[in-house]
Amino acid sequence: MKKIFITLLVTSCFIATVQATIRRVGFTATTSPVANIDFTDLQAAHNASVAGDTIQIYPSTAPTGYSATLNKRLVILGPGYFYNAYNIPTDLPNAGLQNLAGGVSSVSITIAVGSSGSVFAGHYNLYVGTSNVPDSLNNISILRSRGVSVNWDNSGVCNNWLFSQCIGVSTTQTAFGASFTGNRTITNFRIENCISEPNIGISINLNRSPVGVSSGSILNCTGVGPYIFNLSLNNQSVVVQNCIIENLGNSALNTFSGVANTIFINNITSSASFNNAVFTNPGSTGNVFGVSFANNAFFLGYPNNTSGSTTLNSPDARFQLSATSPAKNAGIIPGTATVTDCGAFGGTNPYKPSGIPAVPSFYRLNAASSSASTGPYTITFSVRSNN
């Protein structure tokens, strides 16, 4: 009987009990596909899964779009969205990004009854929609994804939706149909540590429900440059705290409407305080106005992100604060007296560049040969947790 010795190098230790099945979509390898594990279609992988399973979507050098309707609680993971080898210049000195070719063009998910508690992470061009669902669809988490678009369409209560460490988040609650008379509130939504980008930005649009009051928070988000930070809140109860907002009130970039019941706390904006909801709303406090974002004095790589022909930071890492930024220690952790940085890289859950999901990445494998003819047979591999 051969003995196999394994040397394991791990950058971050963790212990977990795994009982759910991991299924793969778009995975290619020299070996034959594994029955009931490998799929070319996301819906087929969903149909084969049970509540609590994980589905991993793999990138392709010819990026493919995937779609599915969910009626069970699942974890659906993508590869992330910024890579050293994919749409990022090769001279980018960023060891934190994975060296990965190809990508996934889009992921479209329709949320149905039974899918409460699902998690989506590491996706590019992610669409999540709820349509004509009278029941509650709660506890949905969208993490480390880029180009997120959510439509709460004519559906019931959606409690505790989390958007965290994303770049580009747009949420829309369309007007309810004439036949819909139930509670349609969006309660305790949380958009945290996100960064805006063109055409999507950080945008939330709430329509008043037939009954009930929506509520939520927008924490430690960054919306600057030719980007969008739009709030259309229909006077629902929302807290905006520790955010960086440029050009507030410019109709082409950042617009606020229906914010009479919004409380603004410890935000930083380039706009003046005069006649400004951030300044005048009851309960708003600690906000800083008239701040300049020019000359890379505020962020590491904004407005300039190059040195000669060399790109200095990935498109999201460029918004890390400079050492002397006025956003340093300008925020307060909600519910505490603890100071923190404003913007996406502050708070209790700082933004992680490139959108790699918080799952282990195997990046080194050394073996004596491709077959074990004698023992002992030593294998050395290394794992990064990406937490």
Side-chain angles (χ1 to χ4, degrees):
M1 180 177 180
K2 299 182 179 68
K3 296 181 180 180
I4 298 178
F5 295 91
I6 298 178
T7 302
L8 176 62
L9 305 178
V10 185
T11 60
S12 178
C13 296
F14 58 94
I15 300 175
T17 301
V18 178
Q19 295 177 332
T21 300
I22 299 176
R23 304 180 199 278
R24 303 180 295 200
V25 175
F27 176 75
T28 58
T30 56
T31 58
S32 300
V34 179
N36 209 37
I37 296 294
D38 289 318
F39 298 85
T40 59
D41 179 75
L42 179 58
Q43 187 67 61
H46 165 277
N47 296 345
S49 300
V50 299
D53 282 356
T54 294
I55 298 175
Q56 290 184 310
I57 301 176
Y58 284 75
S60 168
T61 53
T64 302
Y66 296 96
S67 63
T69 297
L70 268 61
N71 58 18
K72 60 193 74 171
R73 176 178 55 84
L74 297 175
V75 177
I76 300 182
L77 305 178
Y81 44 80
F82 288 140
Y83 324 122
N84 275 333
Y86 181 63
N87 79 13
I88 298 295
T90 55
D91 60 357
L92 181 69
N94 192 336
L97 302 186
Q98 54 187 339
N99 186 16
L100 182 67
V104 177
S105 62
S106 63
V107 176
S108 180
I109 302 293
T110 299
I111 296 288
V113 174
S115 56
S116 292
S118 291
V119 177
F120 309 95
H123 298 290
Y124 174 58
N125 285 342
L126 173 66
Y127 170 82
V128 178
T130 68
S131 181
N132 296 312
V133 180
D135 295 324
S136 299
L137 298 168
N138 299 329
N139 304 310
I140 302 295
S141 297
I142 298 176
L143 315 173
R144 300 188 187 182
S145 295
R146 178 189 177 199
V148 176
S149 180
V150 169
N151 187 7
W152 292 304
D153 182 17
N154 206 36
S155 296
V157 176
C158 294
N159 291 326
N160 306 321
W161 281 53
L162 173 65
F163 306 81
S164 183
Q165 301 177 333
C166 296
I167 177 167
V169 175
S170 176
T171 66
T172 300
Q173 184 185 28
T174 53
F176 57 89
S179 62
F180 197 101
T181 59
N183 193 336
R184 202 174 62 104
T185 55
I186 310 297
T187 304
N188 197 35
F189 70 83
R190 184 180 175 103
I191 301 175
E192 64 176 20
N193 297 92
C194 294
I195 299 173
S196 65
E197 71 170 346
N199 302 319
I200 292 183
I202 298 172
S203 176
I204 180 165
N205 185 329
L206 297 178
N207 245 292
R208 186 174 292 278
S209 170
V211 294
V213 177
S214 296
S215 64
S217 57
I218 303 172
L219 307 175
N220 281 96
C221 290
T222 298
V224 301
Y227 306 134
I228 300 171
F229 197 111
N230 285 337
L231 305 180
S232 179
L233 302 180
N234 207 347
N235 296 327
Q236 304 299 287
S237 178
V238 176
V239 174
V240 178
Q241 186 166 351
N242 302 337
C243 293
I244 299 171
I245 310 168
E246 190 176 19
N247 297 316
L248 178 65
N250 184 330
S251 60
L253 297 172
N254 299 303
T255 61
F256 286 1
S257 66
V259 294
N261 293 319
T262 299
I263 299 175
F264 298 91
I265 302 173
N266 287 88
N267 302 285
I268 291 183
T269 176
S270 60
S271 299
S273 62
F274 178 72
N275 199 28
N276 190 316
V278 178
F279 180 76
T280 60
N281 273 18
S284 295
T285 184
N287 299 292
V288 179
F289 302 89
V291 176
S292 173
F293 298 96
N295 302 321
N296 286 45
F298 198 99
F299 297 104
L300 289 181
Y302 176 81
N304 302 312
N305 194 33
T306 58
S307 176
S309 60
T310 301
T311 301
L312 297 177
N313 299 281
S314 59
D316 46 3
R318 65 188 299 216
F319 292 114
Q320 295 176 85
L321 300 179
S322 65
T324 58
S325 174
K328 285 284 190 180
N329 292 321
I332 299 290
I333 301 294
T336 75
T338 305
V339 298
T340 187
D341 294 344
C342 286
F345 290 88
T348 58
N349 195 23
Y351 180 91
K352 303 292 185 182
S354 84
I356 304 173
V359 295
S361 294
F362 291 80
Y363 62 92
R364 178 187 174 192
L365 174 62
N366 293 333
S369 66
S370 59
S371 61
S373 57
T374 60
Y377 183 75
T378 302
I379 300 174
T380 301
F381 61 93
S382 302
V383 184
R384 183 173 61 200
S385 69
N386 295 318
N387 290 333

